[in-house]
Amino acid sequence: MRNLEEKLHVLKQEKEALDDLAMELELADEDELVLYRVGEAFLHLPLSQAQKRLERDQSHIDTRISTLSTSSEDCDTQMKALKVQLYAKFGSAINLDE
């Protein structure tokens, strides 16, 4: 569960960075080459191509965030159901809180 939350936090930070980049690209000149991160490297790309990549990257990260959020919610629901069953069986003899 913590692993999913950590991944979700990292993805949200990446999304914020992409949103900031979108704002910056709106202010850029059409004729300028833009540094755009691809993997671990930065490439000089024309503004239009950088904007297309940015849109693609934003939709990809939105999909990943949605998937991880759903997985996290499913895990949380399952854990709550299991806690109810375990507390019903063992009562106060166990402590399942973190």
Side-chain angles (χ1 to χ4, degrees), residues 4-62:
L4 285 176
E5 290 173 354
E6 289 172 9
K7 286 180 182 179
L8 193 57
H9 180 71
V10 168
L11 286 176
K12 286 182 179 180
Q13 287 179 333
E14 287 180 30
K15 179 171 175 36
E16 284 181 29
L18 290 177
D19 290 342
D20 291 344
L21 177 60
M23 297 279 273
E24 291 292 324
L25 288 181
E26 288 178 8
L27 302 173
D29 291 335
E30 290 283 332
D31 302 333
E32 284 185 35
L33 289 178
V34 178
L35 276 175
Y36 194 84
R37 188 176 117 200
V38 178
E40 297 292 321
F42 287 88
L43 301 176
H44 287 280
L45 298 174
L47 180 61
S48 61
Q49 188 176 359
Q51 287 173 328
K52 287 178 186 175
R53 274 189 178 264
L54 179 62
E55 288 174 12
R56 187 191 71 206
D57 290 348
Q58 284 177 320
S59 66
H60 178 69
I61 205 160
D62 285 340

Side-chain angles (χ1 to χ4, degrees), residues 67-92:
T67 302
L68 278 179
S69 293
T70 303
S71 295
S72 178
E73 290 169 5
D74 290 346
C75 284
D76 192 42
T77 302
Q78 288 176 348
M79 282 182 14
K80 286 179 182 177
L82 290 172
K83 281 183 179 182
V84 168
Q85 290 175 356
L86 289 170
Y87 278 126
K89 185 171 184 176
F90 297 106
S92 61

